Amino acid sequence: MYTSLVGKRSPKYRFDQSKQIALEALAVMGPDYISHVKDEFDHRWIDVVENRYKRSGGYSSGTYDTNPFILLNWKDNLDNLYTLVHETGHSMHSYYATHNQPYQYGDYSIFVAEIASTTNENILTDYLLEKFKDNSEMKRHILNYYLDGFKGTVFRQTQFAEFEQYIHDQDAKGQPLTANFMDDYYRQLNQKYYGDSVISDPQIGLEWSQIPHFYYNFYVYQYATGFAAASTLADNIVNGGQKSVEKYLNYLKAGSSETPINVMKKAGVDMTKPAYLEHAFQIFETRLDEFEKLF
Ligand SMILES: [Zn+2]
């Protein structure tokens, strides 16, 4: 039997319960946003059940003149509840962009794509922490999920980005990118990021070779910047009221009609300055303190 650090049993949510929680959590986005989420839930925009030959994981995709579609492989757990609101964030972004922009601006760049999905995740975390404020086991699960997600998205992807930047620089200088060369640097970088608190096997140097994103060229950094921007946006929406929601919806509606930096500035995050990163780390620290108090 599996016993996790944070509690005896991980919380289980069926798909119908998860849709209800998602609607309650995302209600802060206002009635227009919620009406489209209801369309998604009620009009079969989601293929939810695992099936033979079906691709694993969760995705949102669509074309300019269709509604967005979501592919899921549902399991009754907290992780899948988060996947549902994450993919819903992408689908709503697509919906607002295609319904407010002409065809040529109806998509969005990689730089802003993961912001819509992780803003929803952050809103869900706020909602669940409030809902279970008197239930310490549930709070441990939710905080653990948040902290682990932050580590995986902000910290680890920054490490990946630093690795990627280095190997491209070395390549430009004429250094042959042999496997041994990359293993050595990856191992050093891992040491730098985890310090003395983690004892790593030497084989950690090979990890770069199993991460397909390194073949996409400068893809990983935007997970870290996106999640950090989403922390501020979710905070603004949950605590800032109608004005913040309107600014946020304008970002979803903008598609690729303006540069990503300008779109985000209008939404309330200046990604050319470090304040939004500091804010994200502040939230991380507050939640880490809360987590420690629960043990
Ligand atoms: Zn995503």
Side-chain angles (χ1 to χ4, degrees), residues 23 26 33-42 88 92:
L23 287 172
L26 296 174
Y33 189 96
I34 284 294
S35 72
H36 305 311
V37 177
K38 281 186 176 153
D39 282 342
E40 172 192 306
F41 289 171
D42 298 341
T88 296
M92 292 304 113

Side-chain angles (χ1 to χ4, degrees), residues 86-87 90 113-114 117 223:
H86 178 107
E87 300 306 332
H90 286 309
E114 291 303 329
S117 52
Y223 284 113

Side-chain angles (χ1 to χ4, degrees), residues 44-110:
R44 304 186 70 224
W45 295 9
I46 308 176
D47 182 36
V48 64
V49 185
E50 281 186 318
N51 211 343
R52 208 174 170 200
Y53 305 126
K54 185 174 167 182
R55 188 176 174 175
S56 61
Y59 307 88
S60 165
S61 181
T63 64
Y64 186 75
D65 44 14
T66 68
N67 60 259
F69 291 99
I70 291 177
L71 177 150
L72 295 177
N73 288 276
W74 191 261
K75 289 193 177 63
D76 295 342
N77 58 31
L78 189 64
D79 187 46
N80 275 240
L81 167 61
Y82 270 90
T83 306
L84 175 65
V85 298
H86 178 107
E87 300 306 332
T88 296
H90 286 309
S91 282
M92 292 304 113
H93 195 184
S94 299
Y95 184 91
Y96 277 107
T98 55
H99 284 77
N100 289 279
Q101 296 296 333
Y103 176 79
Q104 63 271 33
Y105 301 132
D107 59 358
Y108 38 81
S109 76
I110 279 171

